[in-house]
Amino acid sequence: MADASASEVTLTFPDGAQRKVARGTSGLEVAKSISPSLAKRTVAMQLDGALADLADPISRDAAINFVARTDAPALELIRHDAAHVMAEAVQQLWPGTQVTIGPVIENGFYYDFAKAEPFTPEDLPRIEKKMGEIIARNAPFTKEVWSREEAKRYFKDKGELFKVELVDAIPADQDIKIYKQGAWLDLCRGPHMTSTGAIGKAFKLTKFAGAYWRGDSNNPQLQRIYGTAFASQDELDAYVKQIEEAEKRDHRKLGREMDLFHFQEEAPGSIFWHAKGWTLFQTLIAYMRRRQQAAGYMEVNSPDMMEKHFWELSGHWENYGENMFTTTLPDERVFCCKPMNCPGHVQIFKHGLKSYRDLPLKISEFGKVHRYEPSGALHGMLRVRHFTQDDAHIFVTEDQIMRECLAINDLMLSIYGHFGFEDVFIKLSTRPEKRVGSDELWDKAEKALSDVLDEVTKRSNGRVKTAINPGEGAFYGPKLEYVLKDAIGRDWQCGTTQVDFNLAGRLGAFYIDEQSQKRTPVMIHRAMFGSLERFTGILIENFAGHFPLWLSPVQAVVATIVSDADGYAGEVQAALKAAGLRTDIDLRNEKINLKVREHSLEKVPVLLVVGKREAEERKVSIRRLGSDKSQVMGLDEAIAMLRDEAVPPDVAGRV
RNA sequence: GCCGCGUUAGCACAGUUGGUAGUGCACCUGAUUUGUAAUCAGGGGGUCGGGGGUUCAAGUCCCUCACGCGGCACCA
């Protein structure tokens, strides 16, 4: 440790060079002393890795790094500065609007405003224009530390009541920092770049929305404007392009184009599965059924509806009654559609006396659960009110928790790999404030899951990343959440493993242990796809509809060039079907160009074109989706190739 | 559920200051037998999301409900 009273501090530069400067020298002065050009292009600095204002006095020994606006660490500053500039622009355009908070988020920034009149789409370009003016003015960002009273008085006089609340929320040991950009100022913890001009021109406001003050739906609703900014126009253009790419993959759009499913207003949040979509769905279930059977699960089916008192007993009515579908029968008994499968599985466990020798007992079900989700939450197939879980409950002794969780993890990663999801991220959500069960049991369960995480990290050679999500566990136990990264880099949380000491006891389930004593089993809840409906949607977007052959609802289409080939085309289709391939035939009196186009748009992976030549030589011309080339080969050879290719990866033994 | 914006033919969209609806693709019919991403010609199709109101007159204005979209909140 350096002597705090020393008059000099030692700075270590990225190249390892060290230099002593007077305590309190600003970063800007250091940069200037090295070279004026360095000072000119530097917009901020990092001290021991932490971003700081370039004008900050340096009061301790530190590793120092000067940050130019094109350096990676500057991106969050560009965005944060842009948020401030947007706030100023809005207040200039609509005086009297209150500003609240404006943080940087994953792909940009937002600022929340309190304004009586809503923003309109036409407002965004106006705000952007005004932002451009403010940036062009290039006023320096300057920081001041105000007293609490001074800050509160200032904001109160200005009518900025939300800011007054924010000042009050700042812990007593922290300074009240004010950043000025010309005449405009904002309460902010910083840091900022040297001046507004450093933001540059590569910014864009993207959307506006309602958002609750402090994220609480009991609070007033503010108006949020989202935007993004990059160091260069090229990066912004690339970002915009990526958004467009995501729109092209939207499962709602592809689902319609590929004739997979539809929605209609009489059944909000419910899917009408068309034949092709249902084929895909059933292919997924068949896959998972094979995997689970191989892993020692026994598949069951529990009632879709049970009497309300049953759900009162399980605790679901109390906690989620408002989100359950209910119906009153002619005999006046009230029934509820199951929102979860677990209570049903406990009944199956309870049927017949269980011994410790029966554990671990793995009960699985492709159960369709019904949850009355808030209307605003519904989103295509990704958030629906009726969905099928690849659900399972593993009844174990406490000693078996760790081993079973590890087995689940192995199965989970293998399954994701088969769908091409190699990039998996696992979050451990630990005990929440509101919970049931003793701390002892929580210790044990969290330890088990954390050991699982360690083991997984070790085995994967760092491929699988993990993190702790403190306080985010379920009220009955900690959980592991599996997050997949798709083909265009988006995260999807799918699988979950949850350890539960509560429900089995609550529903009176027990087993007989080695000492002939009744003991309550621990339940491990787990789902791997999660919601089959949601997973289907994710797959559609991940593959952009271009499914691998084994998943594709229609695997091949036989298309004729001339009607003379119709008979042979029928033979080709019959042979494909006999080989187990899902096949259509297109004998229409149309040009082959049209047929190729239409089946390509429907994203059929394999097109077998037959004309006069193929019919005579018993060959097929194979054209793959996405390719403009075709390959002529003998019929038997083609069928053998496609049959092999269509074998599901688990059956083929591919790891 | 909350805020904002939408809802016009199967799909994608036009529709001026209110004066009883259009385009493209799809569909149907006919012609065309065609070699790897749109053959030509003709034709049919909409009580403009539901309900209510203002008006001589409403797809256009107002209210209301439903659904959708973008967020927020929620997600056992």
Side-chain angles (χ1 to χ4, degrees), chain A residues 252-270:
Chain A
R252 293 165 296 191
K253 179 170 171 281
L254 290 175
R256 187 171 52 241
E257 289 171 3
M258 296 173 71
D259 194 19
L260 301 176
F261 56 84
H262 84 268
F263 292 91
Q264 63 188 51
E265 62 180 79
E266 290 83 353
S270 307

Side-chain angles (χ1 to χ4, degrees), chain A residues 97-156:
Chain A
T97 300
Q98 291 189 61
V99 295
T100 64
I101 56 162
V104 172
I105 53 173
E106 191 179 349
N107 287 310
F109 61 88
Y110 66 79
Y111 213 112
D112 285 347
F113 302 96
K115 171 170 169 280
E117 292 299 312
F119 290 111
T120 67
E122 299 76 50
D123 291 339
L124 294 186
R126 290 181 64 196
I127 300 168
E128 284 177 347
K129 184 159 174 274
K130 184 63 79 178
M131 288 173 69
E133 292 167 21
I134 296 167
I135 290 168
R137 218 163 52 214
N138 198 19
F141 281 101
T142 56
K143 177 168 60 182
E144 295 174 8
V145 174
W146 288 9
S147 75
R148 232 154 250 274
E149 292 63 37
E150 191 181 358
K152 281 169 72 169
R153 196 178 330 114
Y154 175 83
F155 288 118
K156 202 168 176 182

Side-chain angles (χ1 to χ4, degrees), chain A residues 125-365:
Chain A
R126 290 181 64 196
I127 300 168
E128 284 177 347
K129 184 159 174 274
K130 184 63 79 178
M131 288 173 69
E133 292 167 21
I134 296 167
I135 290 168
R137 218 163 52 214
N138 198 19
F141 281 101
T142 56
K143 177 168 60 182
E144 295 174 8
V145 174
W146 288 9
S147 75
R148 232 154 250 274
E149 292 63 37
E150 191 181 358
K152 281 169 72 169
R153 196 178 330 114
Y154 175 83
F155 288 118
K156 202 168 176 182
D157 290 350
K158 252 184 101 188
E160 298 267 13
L161 305 180
F162 290 100
K163 282 288 178 192
V164 175
E165 266 196 65
L166 288 175
V167 172
D168 280 330
I170 295 174
D173 60 339
Q174 286 179 26
D175 288 340
I176 307 296
K177 290 186 266 185
I178 299 293
Y179 278 86
K180 287 188 175 172
Q181 55 198 57
W184 193 84
L185 62 80
D186 196 3
L187 172 73
C188 180
R189 71 166 69 88
H192 282 278
M193 297 189 290
T194 45
S195 65
T196 59
I199 296 167
K201 291 182 178 172
F203 66 90
K204 182 180 171 62
L205 302 185
T206 50
K207 58 197 166 196
F208 52 96
Y212 297 107
W213 167 236
R214 294 185 153 172
D216 185 336
S217 58
N218 296 312
N219 286 342
Q221 198 158 36
L222 307 168
Q223 296 187 61
R224 175 172 299 178
I225 300 180
Y226 286 93
T228 192
F230 290 87
S232 72
Q233 188 64 35
D234 284 352
E235 291 166 280
L236 176 60
D237 291 345
Y239 173 75
V240 171
K241 222 173 177 142
Q242 209 222 317
I243 302 286
E244 288 166 1
E245 176 59 26
E247 278 168 17
K248 276 188 218 157
R249 290 166 175 256
D250 192 308
H251 72 282
R252 293 165 296 191
K253 179 170 171 281
L254 290 175
R256 187 171 52 241
E257 289 171 3
M258 296 173 71
D259 194 19
L260 301 176
F261 56 84
H262 84 268
F263 292 91
Q264 63 188 51
E265 62 180 79
E266 290 83 353
S270 307
I271 302 172
F272 287 78
W273 284 103
H274 298 191
K276 287 180 191 170
W278 194 240
T279 299
L280 174 58
F281 188 88
Q282 289 299 328
T283 303
L284 292 174
I285 287 190
Y287 168 85
M288 187 59 83
R289 182 169 280 139
R290 288 194 302 272
R291 296 304 310 264
Q292 290 185 156
Q293 276 174 357
Y297 288 79
M298 57 180 197
E299 185 177 330
V300 303
N301 194 262
S302 62
D304 291 325
M305 286 183 147
M306 287 189 264
E307 252 196 315
K308 190 178 119 188
H309 74 76
F310 178 78
W311 299 102
E312 288 168 346
L313 193 63
S314 73
H316 288 88
W317 184 258
E318 189 195 345
N319 284 306
Y320 299 104
E322 288 190 353
N323 298 306
M324 287 167 71
F325 285 92
T326 61
T327 183
T328 304
L329 272 54
D331 63 10
E332 295 187 352
R333 294 203 295 176
V334 178
F335 275 62
C336 303
C337 292
K338 63 175 171 185
M340 294 184 79
N341 300 303
C342 15
H345 291 182
V346 174
Q347 303 317 303
I348 292 171
F349 179 88
K350 282 171 69 179
H351 206 83
L353 206 54
K354 294 292 183 296
S355 147
Y356 70 94
R357 296 174 199 276
D358 295 319
L359 307 187
L361 186 68
K362 305 174 185 177
I363 298 181
S364 70
E365 175 173 0

Side-chain angles (χ1 to χ4, degrees), chain A residues 5-17:
Chain A
S5 64
S7 60
E8 289 188 325
V9 294
T10 303
L11 297 177
T12 306
F13 294 89
D15 63 1

Side-chain angles (χ1 to χ4, degrees), chain A residues 89 92 108 173 201 240 242 398 426 470 556 568 586 606 621-622:
Chain A
Q92 280 192 27
D173 60 339
K201 291 182 178 172
V240 171
Q242 209 222 317
E398 285 170 26
I426 308 175
Y568 175 64
D586 186 350
V606 177
S621 170
I622 295 186

Side-chain angles (χ1 to χ4, degrees), chain A residues 368-382:
Chain A
K368 190 161 189 180
V369 296
H370 307 263
R371 300 178 180 178
Y372 183 73
E373 303 284 6
S375 59
L378 302 179
H379 183 93
M381 294 207 290
L382 303 181

